Amino acid sequence: MNKEVTTLDSPIDVQYLMHKAYRAVSLRVETMAQDLQEGGDMQPFEEAFGFWGKQLLYHATAEDTHMTAPLTDSQPARDNEAEHAELGKQAGKL
């Protein structure tokens, strides 16, 4: 089901649009990776993959700062932040 967003009544309303954009970029990179199995130029894929990674890390950082940090007594929030920290470490190794 496609949900059309016509107004942003609250800052949280933008989350749907952001996740939709992240999903579209992810699918594009995945398709490019599949296409490379048949050969082709790696450079466009590397650029798209780098962009995808930057967006993912930006999203994780923004979520930690604005969404989970205020939840001071929430173990799930801390777990989420720990997962994001590990993601950042893994991204640094690439």
Side-chain angles (χ1 to χ4, degrees):
M1 175 177 125
N2 285 336
K3 177 181 174 187
E4 184 175 335
V5 176
T6 57
T7 63
L8 299 175
D9 299 321
S10 170
I12 196 68
D13 292 343
V14 79
Q15 286 295 315
Y16 174 78
L17 296 173
M18 290 173 58
H19 284 177
K20 186 174 180 179
Y22 295 142
R23 190 176 309 113
V25 171
S26 296
L27 290 173
R28 180 173 159 247
V29 171
E30 185 177 327
T31 299
M32 292 174 81
Q34 289 171 349
D35 291 346
L36 278 174
Q37 292 180 16
E38 298 174 16
D41 186 0
M42 279 287 292
Q43 183 156 354
F45 169 76
E46 289 173 346
E47 291 172 6
F49 186 79
F51 178 74
W52 171 81
K54 287 178 186 176
Q55 294 301 308
L56 184 61
L57 290 173
Y58 173 81
H59 176 67
T61 301
E63 185 175 284
D64 291 348
T65 301
H66 302 289
M67 301 284 291
T68 59
L71 304 173
T72 57
D73 294 327
S74 172
Q75 187 57 48
R78 301 299 74 80
D79 294 344
N80 193 53
E81 292 165 352
E83 289 176 9
H84 290 165
E86 182 61 29
L87 176 69
K89 287 179 191 174
Q90 292 299 320
K93 292 179 184 178
L94 298 177

